[in-house]
Amino acid sequence: MKKIIYTTLAFILTFNSYSQIAKGDKEYEKFAYVDAIKTYERLFEKGYKSQDMLEKLANSYYFKADLGTAVLYYRELFALKVDLEPEYYYRFSQCLKSIEDYKKADEIMLKFNQKNDNDLRAKLASLEKNYLDEIEKNSGRYIIENAGINSRYSDYGSAFYNNKLIFTSARDTGVIGGSRKHSWNGESFTNLYNADIDDQGNVFSPKKFGSELKSKFHESTPVFTKDGKTVYFTRNNYLNGKRGKDSDKTTLLKVYKATLNGDKWENIIELAFNSNDYSVAHPSLSADEKTLYFASNMPGTIGQSDLFKVSINADGSFGEPINLGNTVNTEGRETFPMITSSNELYFASDGHPGLGGLDIFVAQQQEDGSYKNIQNIGKPLNSSKDDFGFLINEKSRFGYVSSNRDGGEGSDDIYKFIEIKKLECEQFLLGIVVDKITGLPLANTKVTLSGENYDKLRELVTDNQGKFDFGKVDCGSKYYIKSEKQEYAIVEISTVTKEESGKTEVKIELEKEVKAVKLGDDLRFAFGIEVIYFDLDKSKIRSDAAIELAKILDVLEQNPTMEISIGSHTDCRQTAKYNLKLSERRARATMLWLVEKGIKKSRLTAKGYGETQLVNNCGCEPTNESNCTEQQHQANRRSEFLVTKL
């Protein structure tokens, strides 16, 4: 029943004219998947196999969340070797995960990536190739067991209310003359039930809840204000005896609000941002009750269903819904949000890499409202089937989750869990400060850590090995580190911490403001001057070389007694004799450039060395040929500036 939000998202396709297939088409288009499956299966058993029939048969089981059966028909579909839309590759991959055939699932996902590389799900799959290893790291943090209140029907979607657990069930509508059945899955329409909770999180004695909230259609997934006087809940588009439909005559989902008067729920109203043309479902309240989170396929949705939030104003009105963005939402299904007091967003998704079907993920909300560090919460809460409806008591750490995993009593069941270890991304930021020229560590250097908005966070000094440790910081966040030491220029660098638990290490190099130069030093190294490059077979001073020569010029101007020797070099191509002449022209060109800028010629000497002093193994003799790259050859076309007098 949890999938009712997705009924609006199924394909409306065109079928052939055979009467039985036409009947199946009609049921499919009405989303009466139980009847459609019967029709298609009878045809399949008689040996009929067409692309459109197999697509719809496989999709019927996919949307019914019976992925294990759907995989059989997707296999038949892919065996036809016909051209398929990329989405079929994604669904087939998800179904393969449901039977834990992860190797084949990854192969199909790779083809999905190739066909649809702009899809967020494709990008995530490409970036997170080791997703199973990451899930394994996050696993083993829960003890899970059947909650003990499940029926042979669908039970799911729980909420806390006055020391009770409120949940959704299709077990019994209580309608005289028999229960009304939904053709989509053959079960009764869902209603709300409550069960008592003891100190250990055990639940028992389920009873119907809120008869005033009940309609002849689905009610599900409530959330209550802390004072217990207001409830937001999901219902089919039905109010005051009137049933709303979209342009396809389908009754979608809306979120409603009711208030408690005495012991009765009254003033049932639909929220202002609902619509007959899209679904809104599965509300969740922030701790301060000023923001409502929900799932929808409203305009602006990235995928099949997205997570949104909307402000609740002081007068009870609502702001404009805001999509949580493509860090959370994908082209797949994101649904069943739950926000904690520490701004952790738990949600179900089949768009982020998981174990199969819907998996539960958690994201940390940042100060600016964005989300980072999306993590799969791991096994055993996640399985190869659909897992959703995460709910946790933040003090006791017990909670409940819904799943259609193997071994349950109904199509969906509620499981109790206890969290024995929190899922935390722990990043530690540390590093070392060294002298840029000597590489030696710089002790007693003041290092200051600031956040992305330049807010000062921590300040300390390096130890006698030049090391510093800022300790625990946020994962996947940008920081600035400023380093200050007497006689050195102040340096500030930025770094982004890793998305997973571990260490982010940085190396900071400081340069002295006043540099000591001795005879024989090469000014390039002493002053951080780049290599003076020349083009192949040229001696003309390039524009980038002129910038570097200007640094040499400034040094000579500031030190009027300094004299230097200019050494020019070539790569190995051409003959040794030719290269010697070329290097001499380059040395003279460099010297003349400095003379033209006002440096006395007597302070300068110039010498060409040809290819006799290569900086790498890119020699050409005796064949005058080399397999080196152009970049390697260019490293040899250089000029050096050695101090000969101070």
Side-chain angles (χ1 to χ4, degrees), residues 366 368 372 427 429 449-455 457 473-481 492-499 504 506:
Q366 307 300 301
D368 62 0
K372 290 185 177 181
Q427 263 292 319
L429 181 56
L449 180 69
S450 299
E452 188 170 4
N453 297 319
Y454 291 96
D455 47 319
L457 301 175
V473 293
D474 293 335
C475 297
S477 297
K478 187 175 185 178
Y479 291 96
Y480 293 95
I481 304 173
E492 184 173 67
I493 67 165
S494 64
T495 187
V496 177
T497 55
K498 299 174 183 177
E499 294 281 357
T504 298
V506 296

Side-chain angles (χ1 to χ4, degrees), residues 507-522:
K507 180 180 180 181
I508 302 173
E509 297 178 320
L510 300 187
E511 290 187 272
K512 283 190 174 182
E513 291 182 315
V514 179
K515 303 174 177 66
V517 178
K518 64 181 184 298
L519 291 177
D521 283 348
D522 189 332

